[in-house]
C-alpha cells in the first residue's frame, strides 16, 4: 500500500515537473522525437533490407552443366555427390530433353530453332539446379561441384552475388552505427534536462533529505520524469512510422523499383516497429535520468 | 536514560581545520540543552554530526541507540526520521502553503492522507498557527515562518529536536515567542531539544542545561546555566 502511494506521488511529481519546466521539457521531447524518427526510419530500412536480402538469397541458384557425352549412370554419380555436399539445401535435375521442352515452352523462337536438333546433336546439356543453405559459402560449394568428373561448366552469377552480399553487410553496419550514435546523443540530452530539473528542485531535495525521505523516494520522480519525456517523445515518431510506412508501401505497391526488392507488408510490421520505438524512447529516458540522478543527486 | 552519547569524538574537516577535539558528552532523554559558543567554537559542527550531515573523524556518536558514525549514506534517512531539525533560515518551500509545507515531511514518508491531515493540524496548533493554514510563507512574518519550520520538524513526533540558531534572524520579542513554543514542545511532547545559539539573553532567561564550547573544546556543562562571557 505504502509503496503504491509513494509511486503514485512520484508519478504526480514527475508530471508536475514536466509541466512546470515546460520549455525545457519541450526541448528535450523534441530532441527525442527527432532522434526516434531517425531511429524508426533506420529500423524500418534495415529490416526491409534484411527482408529482401533473405528473399534474394533464397533465389540464388548454382547451375551445373554436365559434359555432352555424360551417360545416365554417370549423371547419377554426380547427383549422388551433389546430394552429399554440406551446403546444399535442394537440387533439381533436368535432362537435355527436359531442358529443350522447357525452353520451347518459353518462347516461339527457341521452339523453331530447337526443333532442328534431335537428342544426339542437341547443343543443350543435362543440368542440375542447386540451391544452397548459406549464400556466403556459395563460392566454395560451386568450386567443389566444378571439380567433379563429367561437370563442364558451373555458373552462379559470381560477381553479382559477391557484390550484393558485401553491399548489404556494409549498409547494415552503417545503419547500426547511425542508430547507436543517435541513441547516445539522446541520452546526453536527457541527462542534461534532468540535471536542470534537479538543480531547479535542489531546495526541495535538501528538505526531503532532512525530513528522512529514502533515496528511493527522492530518485523515483526524476526517473519517472525521464520515462515520461521518452514516452511523449515517441508519440510523433510512432504516428509517422504507422502512417508514413503505410503510405510508402501503398505508393509502391509493395515493391521498390523492381520485383526483386519486395517490401515487408505493413501489418503487423508497423505495430512491431512502433512498440520498439516506444520501448527505445522509454528506456532511453529511464537510462538518461538514472544517469543524471546518479551524477547530480548525491544520495 | 541517555538519548545521546558522544565518546571521544574528533572532527577534522578536509581543509585541515579541526572543529572538535576529543568531545565526551551524554544528553538525557527529555532534556532541554543549549549549546553555546562563539563563531568557530564547533557548535554547528556538533549539531551537524547529530543529524549525520557530517561524520566524526574519530569516536562514537550514538543517537537513540544508533551509531551515527557508522551509518551508511544510504541509511541516513532512518536516523532523520527519528529527529526534527530547525534552521536559522527556516528552509520552507515558497510555492507551498503552510499546511503543504508541513505535510510535505509526511508525504515523503508515504503516510496516508487523512493521517497526514490530522498530524499536520495538531503540529500547527502546537506552534499557534492554526489560523494561517492556507497562507504562503512570504505572507508570514519571520517568527511565523520559523514556527512553520518547527511544526514541520515535530509533525512526525520525533524524540529529538535539533535547532541550529533558530532565533538568529529574529528580534528579541519574536525570539522569546519561539522559545515559548520550544519549551511547550519539550514539556508537552517530552521531546529532547538541543539548541545551538549565541543569544545571551535567551540562555539567561530560560535557565536550562548549558553546554559551552570554545575552539572545539568542551569548556563546561552546567545545569540551569548562564551565558558566561569569560568562558567564550
Amino acid at each position: 500500500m505504502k509503496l503504491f502511494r509513494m509511486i503514485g506521488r512520484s508519478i504526480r511529481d514527475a508530471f508536475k515537473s514536466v509541466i512546470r519546466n515546460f520549455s525545457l521539457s519541450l526541448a528535450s521531447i523534441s530532441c527525442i522525437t527527432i532522434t526516434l524518427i531517425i531511429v524508426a526510419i533506420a529500423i524500418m530500412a534495415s529490416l526491409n533490407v534484411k527482408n529482401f536480402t533473405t528473399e534474394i538469397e533464397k533465389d540464388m541458384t548454382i547451375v551445373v552443366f554436365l559434359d555432352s557425352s555424360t551417360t545416365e549412370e554417370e549423371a547419377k554419380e554426380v547427383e549422388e555427390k551433389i546430394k552429399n555436399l554440406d551446403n546444399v539445401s535442394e537440387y533439381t535435375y533436368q535432362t537435355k530433353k527436359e531442358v529443350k521442352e522447357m525452353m520451347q515452352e518459353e518462347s516461339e523462337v527457341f521452339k523453331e530453332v530447337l526443333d532442328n536438333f534431335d537428342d544426339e546433336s542437341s547443343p543443350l546439356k543435362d543440368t542440375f539446379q542447386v540451391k544452397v543453405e548459406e549464400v556466403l559459402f556459395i563460392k566454395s560449394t560451386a568450386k567443389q561441384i566444378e571439380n567433379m568428373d563429367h561437370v563442364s561448366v558451373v555458373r552462379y552469377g559470381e560477381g553479382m552475388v559477391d557484390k550484393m552480399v558485401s553491399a548489404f553487410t556494409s549498409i547494415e553496419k552503417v545503419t547500426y552505427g547511425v542508430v547507436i550514435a543517435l541513441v547516445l546523443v539522446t541520452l546526453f540530452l536527457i541527462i542534461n534536462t534532468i540535471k536542470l530539473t534537479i538543480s531547479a528542485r535542489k531546495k526541495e531535495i535538501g528538505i526531503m533529505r532532512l525530513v528522512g525521505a529514502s533515496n528511493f523516494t527522492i530518485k523515483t520522480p526524476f526517473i519517472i520524469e525521464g520515462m515520461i519525456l521518452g514516452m511523449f517523445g515517441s508519440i510523433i515518431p510512432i504516428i509517422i512510422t504507422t502512417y508514413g510506412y503505410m503510405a510508402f508501401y501503398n505508393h509502391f505497391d509493395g515493391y521498390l523499383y523492381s520485383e526483386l526488392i519486395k517490401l515487408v507488408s505493413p501489418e503487423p510490421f508497423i505495430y512491431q516497429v512502433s512498440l520498439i520505438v516506444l520501448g527505445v524512447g522509454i528506456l532511453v529516458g529511464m537510462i538518461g535520468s538514472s544517469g543524471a540522478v546518479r551524477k547530480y543527486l548525491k544520495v | 536514560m541517555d538519548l545521546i552519547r558522544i565518546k571521544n569524538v574528533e572532527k577534522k574537516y578536509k581543509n585541515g581545520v579541526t572543529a572538535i577535539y576529543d568531545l565526551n558528552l551524554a544528553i538525557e532523554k527529555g532534556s532541554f540543552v543549549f549549546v553555546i559558543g562563539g563563531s568557530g567554537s564547533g557548535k554547528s559542527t556538533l549539531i551537524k554530526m547529530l543529524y549525520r550531515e557530517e561524520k566524526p573523524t574519530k569516536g562514537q556518536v550514538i543517537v537513540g541507540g544508533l551509531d551515527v558514525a557508522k551509518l551508511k549514506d544510504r541509511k541516513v534517512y532512518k536516523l532523520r526520521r527519528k529527529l526534527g531539525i530547525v534552521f536559522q533560515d527556516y528552509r520552507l518551500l515558497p510555492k507551498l502553503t503552510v499546511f503543504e509545507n508541513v505535510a510535505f515531511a509526511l508525504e515523503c514518508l508515504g503516510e496516508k492522507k487523512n493521517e497526514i491531515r490530522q498530524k499536520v493540524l495538531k503540529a500547527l496548533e502546537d506552534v499557534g498557527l492554526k489560523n494561517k493554514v492556507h497562507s504562503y510563507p512570504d505572507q508570514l512574518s519571520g517568527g511565523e515562518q520559523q514556527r512553520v519550520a518547527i511544526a514541520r520538524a515535530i509533525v512526525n513526533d520525533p524524540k529529538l529536536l535539533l535547532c541550529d540558531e533558530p532565533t538568529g534572524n529574529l528580534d528579541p520579542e519574536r525570539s522569546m515567542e519561539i522559545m515559548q513554543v520550544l519549551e511547550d514542545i519539550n514539556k508537552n511532547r517530552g521531546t529532547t531539544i538541543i539548541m545551538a545559539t549565541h543569544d545571551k539573553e535567551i540562555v539567561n532567561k530560560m535557565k536550562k542545561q548549558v553546554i559551552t564550547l570554545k575552539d572545539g573544546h568542551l569548556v563546561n556543562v552546567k545545569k540551569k546555566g548562564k551565558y558566561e562571557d569569560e568562558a567564550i
Side-chain angles (χ1 to χ4, degrees):
Chain A
M1 263 322 280
K2 198 169 163 185
L3 186 72
F4 283 125
R5 266 204 302 280
M6 302 295 277
I7 288 172
R9 207 183 78 90
S10 297
I11 292 172
R12 191 193 69 195
D13 276 7
F15 270 104
K16 257 193 203 164
S17 166
V18 168
I19 294 162
R20 200 181 293 160
N21 306 316
F22 187 71
S23 53
L24 199 66
S25 306
L26 197 67
S28 62
I29 287 172
S30 338
C31 287
I32 298 168
T33 301
I34 292 164
T35 312
L36 285 181
I37 288 172
I38 299 170
V39 167
I41 291 171
I43 291 172
M44 289 193 297
S46 86
L47 287 178
N48 264 300
V49 166
K50 208 166 207 153
N51 179 55
F52 73 71
T53 38
T54 43
E55 289 286 319
I56 289 171
E57 281 170 3
K58 266 191 233 157
D59 283 346
M60 291 278 183
T61 315
I62 302 173
V63 183
V64 181
F65 298 98
L66 300 184
D67 291 328
S68 307
S69 57
T70 314
T71 62
E72 220 168 289
E73 271 163 36
E74 284 166 342
K76 275 255 160 61
E77 271 174 41
V78 176
E79 184 180 349
E80 200 59 37
K81 280 185 197 162
I82 289 176
K83 205 170 157 183
N84 289 333
L85 287 176
D86 282 338
N87 198 21
V88 172
S89 63
E90 55 179 299
Y91 66 90
T92 49
Y93 173 65
Q94 285 176 310
T95 60
K96 294 175 200 179
K97 221 176 168 179
E98 284 164 345
V99 175
K100 183 175 156 189
E101 279 161 11
M102 196 180 77
M103 286 175 86
Q104 281 176 329
E105 264 171 44
E106 269 176 23
S107 112
E108 283 294 315
V109 183
F110 282 139
K111 192 174 162 62
E112 299 267 321
V113 175
L114 291 173
D115 269 339
N116 296 329
F117 299 99
D118 59 18
D119 273 3
E120 282 302 304
S121 60
S122 170
L124 296 171
K125 292 168 176 175
D126 296 335
T127 59
F128 284 99
Q129 293 188 332
V130 181
K131 292 208 170 175
V132 292
E133 268 162 16
E134 191 51 70
V135 176
L136 276 177
F137 308 124
I138 197 169
K139 207 171 178 177
S140 66
T141 310
K143 259 250 147 52
Q144 283 175 305
I145 296 174
E146 202 168 10
N147 291 336
M148 291 172 187
D149 292 335
H150 314 296
V151 172
S152 70
V153 187
V154 172
R155 284 278 169 271
Y156 64 94
E158 293 93 330
M160 208 267 264
V161 174
D162 286 350
K163 269 182 202 155
M164 206 137 97
V165 169
S166 74
F168 287 152
T169 31
S170 51
I171 287 174
E172 226 174 316
K173 274 179 194 158
V174 170
T175 17
Y176 286 145
V178 170
V179 168
I180 289 169
L182 283 169
V183 167
L184 288 179
V185 171
T186 316
L187 273 178
F188 178 75
L189 282 164
I190 291 174
I191 287 177
N192 273 289
T193 311
I194 301 292
K195 175 186 146 190
L196 285 165
T197 351
I198 288 174
S199 63
R201 291 177 59 186
K202 229 172 196 143
K203 204 173 170 187
E204 208 174 314
I205 294 164
I207 293 169
M208 282 173 95
R209 249 183 250 164
L210 284 178
V211 299
S214 63
N215 288 351
F216 175 81
T217 319
I218 297 174
K219 279 180 192 168
T220 317
F222 296 108
I223 290 170
I224 291 177
E225 189 179 337
M227 289 164 78
I228 290 171
L229 293 178
M231 210 167 67
F232 282 163
S234 61
I235 291 173
I236 293 173
I238 284 174
I239 293 171
I240 290 178
T241 310
T242 315
Y243 291 99
Y245 188 74
M246 212 108 85
F248 179 78
Y249 186 84
N250 291 335
H251 183 259
F252 288 103
D253 281 331
Y255 292 98
L256 205 58
Y257 305 124
S258 73
E259 296 275 318
L260 201 62
I261 302 178
K262 195 177 166 218
L263 297 171
V264 185
S265 72
E267 283 185 50
F269 178 63
I270 42 172
Y271 303 124
Q272 292 163 346
V273 173
S274 300
L275 261 179
I276 294 173
V277 167
L278 180 69
V280 169
I282 291 177
L283 202 72
V284 167
M286 201 172 87
I287 294 170
S289 53
S290 334
V293 163
R294 196 173 317 129
K295 215 166 165 187
Y296 301 104
L297 197 72
K298 294 206 172 60
V299 285
Chain B
M1 217 190 98
D2 296 336
L3 182 67
I4 296 171
R5 227 180 266 246
I6 295 173
K7 277 184 205 159
N8 309 328
V9 164
E10 183 192 286
K11 174 66 190 176
K12 198 174 180 180
Y13 284 106
K14 273 181 190 147
N15 60 12
V17 175
T18 307
I20 287 187
Y21 299 89
D22 196 33
L23 182 67
N24 285 289
L25 207 56
I27 291 170
E28 241 173 80
K29 214 178 212 173
S31 53
F32 194 132
V33 184
F34 285 114
V35 180
I36 62 169
S39 329
S41 61
K43 57 188 194 306
S44 273
T45 303
L46 174 61
I47 298 277
K48 279 181 184 163
M49 281 195 294
L50 289 176
Y51 68 90
R52 180 54 171 70
E53 182 72 15
E54 296 291 348
K55 255 182 174 176
T57 349
K58 264 186 211 163
Q60 269 187 329
V61 177
I62 294 170
V63 178
L66 208 64
D67 190 347
V68 176
K70 281 185 186 156
L71 204 59
K72 283 188 184 127
D73 283 349
R74 273 185 301 113
K75 302 278 180 193
V76 169
Y77 72 92
K78 289 192 172 172
L79 170 74
R80 302 272 170 93
R81 285 178 187 189
K82 287 186 184 169
L83 44 88
I85 312 162
V86 178
F87 298 93
Q88 184 173 356
D89 57 356
Y90 324 133
R91 303 204 186 172
L92 301 174
L93 292 168
K95 283 180 184 169
L96 302 184
T97 64
V98 166
F99 181 89
E100 287 165 342
N101 259 295
V102 180
F104 183 76
L106 294 175
E107 276 178 16
C108 291
L109 311 181
E111 299 229 0
K112 279 185 198 147
K113 242 189 174 156
N114 49 354
E115 270 175 38
I116 291 179
R117 200 180 154 72
Q118 274 177 11
K119 285 187 182 175
V120 171
L121 291 178
K122 172 82 173 61
L124 285 172
E125 198 181 346
D126 285 0
V127 299
L129 276 179
K130 220 181 172 183
N131 53 342
K132 299 267 172 131
V133 169
H134 298 297
S135 308
Y136 285 89
D138 59 2
Q139 297 167 331
L140 302 177
S141 70
E144 287 170 326
Q145 288 188 47
Q146 190 60 293
R147 282 191 269 159
V148 177
I150 293 171
R152 184 181 62 197
I154 61 167
V155 71
N156 202 25
D157 215 1
K159 292 196 176 68
L160 176 64
L161 182 61
L162 300 172
C163 309
D164 195 355
E165 307 257 9
T167 59
N169 281 351
L170 304 173
D171 60 47
E173 213 173 307
R174 304 284 153 243
S175 297
M176 279 323 293
E177 280 178 24
I178 296 292
M179 293 320 297
Q180 195 53 55
V181 167
L182 291 176
E183 170 122 61
D184 287 346
I185 290 166
N186 178 241
K187 269 192 188 141
N188 301 337
R189 293 191 179 223
T191 311
T192 310
I193 297 182
I194 299 175
M195 174 170 160
T197 185
H198 57 246
D199 192 323
K200 192 174 162 184
E201 217 170 302
I202 286 175
V203 177
N204 290 342
K205 260 190 193 157
M206 299 291 290
K207 297 190 178 62
K208 300 288 183 187
Q209 192 179 341
V210 175
I211 293 169
T212 312
L213 291 173
K214 190 187 178 188
D215 298 332
H217 294 280
L218 182 66
V219 177
N220 58 34
V221 181
K222 281 185 181 168
K223 290 206 168 178
K224 304 207 172 179
K226 284 201 169 184
Y227 201 105
E228 291 159 19
D229 283 326
E230 58 270 27
I232 305 303

